[in-house]
Each structure stands twice: as C-alpha cells, then as structure tokens.
Amino acid sequence: MADGTNFSELKRRMEGAVTAFKNDVNGLRTGRASVNVLDPVMVEAYGSRMPINQVANVGVAEARMLSVQVWDKQMVGAVDRGIREANLGLNPIVDGQTLRIPLPDLNEERRRELVKVAHNYAETARVAARHVRRDGMDELKKNEKAGVISQDDSRQQSDRVQKMTDETIAEIDRLLVDKEKEIMQV
C-alpha cells in the first residue's frame, strides 16, 4: 500500500481484464484453424456438462481443419452433438474416435458479425477496467477522508490510477484493431 491504494493490485486486476479480452477474441473464428474455436463447446458427459477439452484432445490437423480425438469411444456421439449444438457453424465428420472438423470459408456478413462480437468483448473489458479504476478512486477518497493521505497525495495517486486505466483501455483498443484486421482479412 503506497499510503493510499495498492497499485500492484489495481494493475493486476486491469491486466486481468486485458487477459480475459484476449481469451475471448482468441475464440473468434478467423478462417484459420485454432483450437480456441472449440472453447465454448460443452459436452454432455457422465451425467454432467463439461468443456470439450475434458473429454478429448483438440488439435489443428491442417490450416483449415481441426481434429478432435475423443478419449472414450462411447463419448464420440456426445462430443459430435456438443459441437453441432454450440452454434459455431461447424459440421464434424466422425472417423472412429476422431472427429475431423473442416472450417468453412467466412462470408462478408459473418465477418462483420464477428467484428461486432469482438467490439462487445472489448466494451466488456473496458467496463471491467473502469470498475477497477472506480474501486481505486473510492479507496483513495476513503483514505483521504480518514486522514491516511493528504489531499495532494490523493490527487497525485488519482492521476496515477487514471493513467493506468487509460493505458489499459488503449491496449484493449489496440488488440481490438488487430483482431478486426485479422477477421476481415480474406
């Protein structure tokens, strides 16, 4: 605690917002095969719903093809169903205990939809960063009111929290622009 607020904790929470955003946009399909495409897939297995990576190995077979190696022979149908029901526009081809998933070309309309989804993810991350800023500012006001820090220190530290927030939001915006270019690339 630097006489007012714990900046390392605020920085960690803001970095958490950026990391969550990166994870979200990594799951967006860009036309190239990525194992992250199947992250939202949940499989009905052994009486409960679980992520696909807990019942199978997901890999990239080719540039435009995913490979899902199911561990238990009885789970192949459930994994196939889970992928189809995830509304990712993917149609697996069952080949024994392996599912091959060709990635279809993205049309212009679908690319624009994915860009909108990326913008929504970015806004969620920005809001998370602003919540961290609010918590830091509230802590500073509380400490100033309690006499722990002076008004000048509070103002200086408020500027530091704001600068940290601005940097985090700028990083989110930069990542969004990069992802947008990647999605719109034909």
Side-chain angles (χ1 to χ4, degrees), residues 19-150:
T19 302
F21 173 66
K22 284 179 184 176
N23 290 338
D24 288 342
V25 296
N26 280 342
L28 291 178
R29 195 158 55 89
T30 59
R32 288 193 301 269
S34 166
V35 294
N36 297 335
V37 170
L38 298 180
D39 284 351
V41 175
M42 298 297 279
V43 177
E44 194 68 41
Y46 312 113
S48 65
R49 292 182 59 74
M50 54 184 59
I52 193 169
N53 62 7
Q54 292 185 6
V55 295
N57 283 336
V58 179
V60 177
E62 300 169 23
R64 303 193 42 79
M65 171 109 40
L66 292 174
S67 169
V68 179
Q69 181 68 42
V70 183
W71 300 326
D72 184 351
K73 216 183 312 189
Q74 280 78 38
M75 295 304 307
V76 173
V79 171
D80 180 38
R81 207 169 21 265
I83 293 170
R84 291 178 192 277
E85 291 173 356
N87 291 326
L88 297 172
L90 302 175
N91 294 308
I93 301 164
V94 178
D95 184 14
Q97 275 184 252
T98 303
L99 284 84
R100 290 180 293 121
I101 307 167
L103 296 179
D105 287 332
L106 294 175
N107 60 24
E108 184 74 17
E109 182 182 337
R110 181 67 181 138
R111 288 178 192 279
R112 293 196 189 288
E113 287 173 24
L114 289 174
V115 167
K116 287 179 187 172
V117 170
H119 278 271
N120 289 339
Y121 288 156
E123 187 54 33
T124 301
R126 287 186 206 107
V127 168
R130 290 181 194 122
H131 284 310
V132 174
R133 175 187 63 194
R134 183 198 59 213
D135 293 347
M137 296 296 198
D138 289 349
E139 189 179 339
L140 284 170
K141 287 177 191 167
K142 184 180 77 180
N143 288 335
E144 181 185 343
K145 196 172 189 176
V148 176
I149 58 172
S150 70

Side-chain angles (χ1 to χ4, degrees), residues 145-160:
K145 196 172 189 176
V148 176
I149 58 172
S150 70
Q151 190 175 7
D152 286 344
D153 287 343
S154 175
R155 196 169 296 121
Q156 258 183 343
Q157 292 181 20
S158 292
D159 291 346
R160 187 171 164 196

